[in-house]
């Protein structure tokens, strides 16, 4: 999964222009602030270095997560596609770029309070409308699709209902794929379903979530690491798996899959083990060649895909 070429090239040159030592320091502080859930610490990093570090170390991954999620949202919604998208806490534009890929004709609006992040986003999304400032001090214009990717967890409590009210067709919430990120997603899922929202993804139904702590529902998107990113992380691998949790809810019911694969399928000789969430709970299926149709499906099935029916 890769950002568009133009964006990758620009990230590379911004990262190089920042200088390795300031960039490495900013990347470390950024990672600490997100790990410790202290977004207020980000203000200690000089704005230019903070933006360059976000672009190099985080944006490819948050783009990959949003790309994966919006592919599923598009599949579930079908036609007509959303004509407008509001990206809340748009940052450097990762989710808006993913929305552009899946809903190319939709008018984009990016809401962001960090001016330096917003300026970076403007380079690759020059035609998007901008709402600059704090969400708490802004009216939210209605849009077909409202997305909050890796942002609602940073916000003071309360924006959920405002986001839902602004969503004419659907609301998409993405958080880090950690127990804490999932707990936030699960709580928002329950609250919105109680308010009459319809499930779009990832769940195969609208019943109570069967996943109990210490387990958590999350998915993974594989992201190529640039050489600069590898050097910053002192990492050998040229890819990473970005873990994310999400929920997408709509105004109207859509057709849901029979199940959702919630672990990486295990491949053994002649047997594929699939763990999937179904409307009646979590199910572990051993699929063998004795069920050729199911085996064919299972061979190509990936974590996060639609699961197998009965
Ligand atoms: C972790 S970044 C995610 C950026 C982008 N959505 C992505 O997926 O890469 C969170 C963003 O939310 C923005 N943000 C947090 N609280 C906000 C608020 N109250 N109003 C506007 N933006 C906010 C931050 O400035 C930051 O750019």
């Amino acid at each position: 999964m890769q950002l568009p070429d133009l964006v990758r090239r620009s990230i590379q040159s911004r990262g190089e222009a920042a200088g390795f030592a300031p960039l490495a320091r900013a990347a470390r502080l950024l990672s600490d602030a997100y790990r410790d859930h202290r977004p207020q610490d980000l203000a200690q990093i000089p704005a230019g270095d903070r933006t360059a570090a976000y672009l190099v170390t985080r944006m490819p991954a948050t783009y990959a997560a949003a790309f994966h999620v919006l592919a599923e949202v598009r599949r579930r919604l079908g036609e007509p596609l959303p004509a407008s998208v509001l990206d809340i806490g748009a940052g450097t534009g990762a989710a808006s770029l993913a929305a552009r890929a899946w809903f190319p004709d939709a008018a984009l609006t990016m809401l962001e309070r960090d001016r330096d992040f917003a300026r970076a986003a403007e380079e690759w999304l020059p035609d998007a409308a901008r709402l600059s400032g704090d969400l708490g001090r802004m009216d939210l214009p209605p849009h077909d699709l409202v997305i909050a990717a890796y942002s609602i967890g940073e916000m003071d409590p309360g924006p959920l209902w405002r986001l839902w009210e602004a969503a004419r067709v659907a609301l998409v919430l993405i958080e880090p794929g950690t127990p804490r990120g999932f707990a936030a997603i699960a709580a928002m899922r329950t609250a919105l379903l109680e308010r009459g929202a319809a499930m779009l993804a990832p769940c195969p139904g609208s019943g109570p979530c069967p996943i109990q702590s210490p387990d958590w529902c999350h998915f993974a998107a594989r992201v190529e690491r640039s050489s600069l990113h590898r050097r910053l992380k002192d990492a050998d691998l040229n890819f990473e798996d970005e873990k994310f949790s999400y929920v997408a809810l709509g105004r109207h019911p859509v057709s849901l899959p029979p199940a959702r694969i919630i672990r990486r399928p295990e491949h053994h000789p002649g047997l594929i083990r699939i763990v999937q969430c179904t409307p009646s709970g979590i199910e572990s299926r051993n699929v063998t060649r004795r069920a050729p149709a199911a085996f064919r499906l299972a061979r190509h099935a990936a974590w996060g895909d639609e699961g197998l029916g009965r």
Side-chain angles (χ1 to χ4, degrees), residues 210-255:
I211 299 185
Q212 299 289 327
S213 171
D215 196 4
W216 72 99
C217 179
H218 63 293
F219 303 96
R222 187 147 287 188
V223 193
E224 269 189 40
R225 281 181 176 146
S226 65
S227 60
L228 182 56
H229 190 184
R230 280 208 305 270
R231 278 169 56 217
L232 285 171
K233 288 241 161 133
D234 213 3
D236 293 328
L237 287 178
N238 63 355
F239 68 86
E240 65 187 7
D241 286 328
E242 171 67 10
K243 310 270 173 50
F244 58 93
S245 295
Y246 78 99
V247 68
L249 295 141
R251 293 277 165 201
H252 303 291
V254 297
S255 113

Side-chain angles (χ1 to χ4, degrees), residues 34 39 42 50 54 58-63 65-66 87-96 111-115 117-118 131-138 147-156 159 174:
Y34 288 137
L42 298 172
R50 181 173 71 233
Y54 193 87
R58 290 300 301 144
M59 188 184 177
T62 60
Y63 173 77
D87 184 0
I88 303 281
T92 55
S96 287
L111 186 154
E112 175 54 54
R113 69 177 174 194
D114 182 316
R115 288 207 196 123
F117 275 11
L131 294 172
S132 308
D134 196 290
L135 170 72
R137 287 195 277 278
M138 251 184 249
I147 309 173
Y150 294 85
S151 61
I152 202 164
E154 282 190 19
M155 293 171 179
D156 291 335
I174 309 175

Side-chain angles (χ1 to χ4, degrees), residues 34-76:
Y34 288 137
R35 189 200 55 221
D36 300 340
H37 312 290
R38 294 182 56 83
Q40 64 274 25
D41 290 359
L42 298 172
Q44 295 164 11
I45 315 173
D49 295 345
R50 181 173 71 233
T51 305
Y54 193 87
L55 292 173
V56 175
T57 65
R58 290 300 301 144
M59 188 184 177
T62 60
Y63 173 77
F67 190 90
H68 175 106
V69 170
L70 294 182
E72 190 59 27
V73 169
R74 181 180 161 138
R75 208 169 287 136
R76 292 293 139 219

